[in-house]
Amino acid sequence: MWRYLALLLVWPFAAIAEGERAGDFDYYVMALSWSPSWCALEGDARNSDQCDARHDHGFTLHGLWPQYDDGYPSYCRTTEKDPSRTQTAEMTDIMGSGGLAWHQWEKHGRCTGLSASDYFDLSRAAYESIKRPEVFRKLPRTFSLPPKVIEEAFLEENDTLLGAGVTVTCKSGLLAEVRICLEKDLSPRICGRDVQQDCSSKAIEMDPIR
């Protein structure tokens, strides 16, 4: 009897651990990472090639994430093949590293129901559809800015974006990411409540591109 009860208790958690069904989601969140901040907080300590000044990275693509109206799927079950090293390496120019591209496929891409090739193509299309404000590429030094100023700069550069469809996140007093919510066809939309949680700091630092 106790063994039977134990199986009943364990079974639901085992099903969840396998991941949700691929293709079952409501919209996308595209996360744009400010590379100088990531390098200052993590990349330099890892001696990451992404942080080498020759790359001139500003906003890089962290990922294109399938999202529910509340919450998100991850590590989904899929019949699609994993990407090759060549495929992940081809994303380095906008993502910073092939390793990140692989991780994004593993955690998020599998949940789209797309092939790895189509997922990376869609990720690139999403990245290229958004204008990153040129003013941020020209910062001569570190500036302290209200998160709202960064958000408004994106709205001014992209007149189809919605105010409730863009959010700014921060970490350790630095700009971390700008997150933009998109429909499955990549048209702008508002974010779910769980994504709309902006950085609560009055001002955050934005380091210049290296």
Side-chain angles (χ1 to χ4, degrees), residues 12-52:
F13 295 98
I16 291 172
E18 290 179 359
E20 293 85 347
R21 184 177 62 185
D24 183 15
F25 63 98
D26 297 308
Y27 69 101
Y28 287 111
V29 170
M30 178 174 64
L32 300 176
S33 173
W34 184 241
S35 188
S37 295
W38 181 80
C39 290
L41 294 173
E42 298 182 43
D44 288 340
R46 300 181 187 179
N47 197 28
S48 172
D49 181 67
Q50 176 180 336
C51 302
D52 192 299

Side-chain angles (χ1 to χ4, degrees), residues 5-99:
L5 289 174
L7 286 173
L8 287 178
L9 290 171
V10 170
W11 173 252
F13 295 98
I16 291 172
E18 290 179 359
E20 293 85 347
R21 184 177 62 185
D24 183 15
F25 63 98
D26 297 308
Y27 69 101
Y28 287 111
V29 170
M30 178 174 64
L32 300 176
S33 173
W34 184 241
S35 188
S37 295
W38 181 80
C39 290
L41 294 173
E42 298 182 43
D44 288 340
R46 300 181 187 179
N47 197 28
S48 172
D49 181 67
Q50 176 180 336
C51 302
D52 192 299
R54 76 182 190 281
H55 295 306
D56 199 34
H57 283 313
F59 281 106
T60 55
L61 176 66
H62 182 174
L64 184 67
W65 306 335
Q67 197 83 12
Y68 298 134
D69 287 326
D70 183 14
Y72 62 91
S74 62
Y75 300 104
C76 298
R77 302 183 299 275
T78 181
T79 58
E80 298 293 342
K81 294 181 179 179
D82 289 332
S84 66
R85 286 182 178 270
T86 298
Q87 286 177 298
T88 55
E90 288 174 348
M91 296 299 291
T92 301
D93 62 320
I94 62 171
M95 297 189 77
S97 76

Side-chain angles (χ1 to χ4, degrees), residues 5-193:
L5 289 174
L7 286 173
L8 287 178
L9 290 171
V10 170
W11 173 252
F13 295 98
I16 291 172
E18 290 179 359
E20 293 85 347
R21 184 177 62 185
D24 183 15
F25 63 98
D26 297 308
Y27 69 101
Y28 287 111
V29 170
M30 178 174 64
L32 300 176
S33 173
W34 184 241
S35 188
S37 295
W38 181 80
C39 290
L41 294 173
E42 298 182 43
D44 288 340
R46 300 181 187 179
N47 197 28
S48 172
D49 181 67
Q50 176 180 336
C51 302
D52 192 299
R54 76 182 190 281
H55 295 306
D56 199 34
H57 283 313
F59 281 106
T60 55
L61 176 66
H62 182 174
L64 184 67
W65 306 335
Q67 197 83 12
Y68 298 134
D69 287 326
D70 183 14
Y72 62 91
S74 62
Y75 300 104
C76 298
R77 302 183 299 275
T78 181
T79 58
E80 298 293 342
K81 294 181 179 179
D82 289 332
S84 66
R85 286 182 178 270
T86 298
Q87 286 177 298
T88 55
E90 288 174 348
M91 296 299 291
T92 301
D93 62 320
I94 62 171
M95 297 189 77
S97 76
L100 175 61
W102 164 258
H103 174 68
Q104 291 302 304
W105 161 257
E106 181 184 33
K107 184 175 182 180
H108 302 287
R110 288 174 177 170
C111 296
T112 64
L114 300 173
S115 67
S117 178
D118 287 345
Y119 172 66
F120 288 139
D121 284 347
L122 188 68
S123 297
R124 186 175 292 276
Y127 179 78
E128 293 177 349
S129 73
I130 300 299
K131 296 178 182 177
R132 281 83 62 197
E134 189 66 21
V135 64
F136 296 138
R137 293 194 60 84
K138 299 177 180 179
L139 296 179
R141 57 179 175 81
T142 298
F143 278 82
S144 182
L145 300 170
K148 196 69 176 177
V149 168
I150 300 169
E151 179 181 318
E152 289 174 351
F154 271 82
L155 294 174
E156 288 181 10
E157 287 288 332
N158 301 272
D159 57 12
T160 60
L161 291 182
L162 306 172
V166 180
T167 186
V168 173
T169 70
C170 55
K171 184 177 182 180
S172 300
L174 300 177
L175 166 65
E177 294 184 339
V178 174
R179 296 178 179 176
I180 298 171
C181 296
L182 304 168
E183 299 285 6
K184 291 183 179 181
D185 65 0
L186 302 185
S187 60
R189 60 156 284 165
I190 64 172
C191 301
R193 288 186 178 181

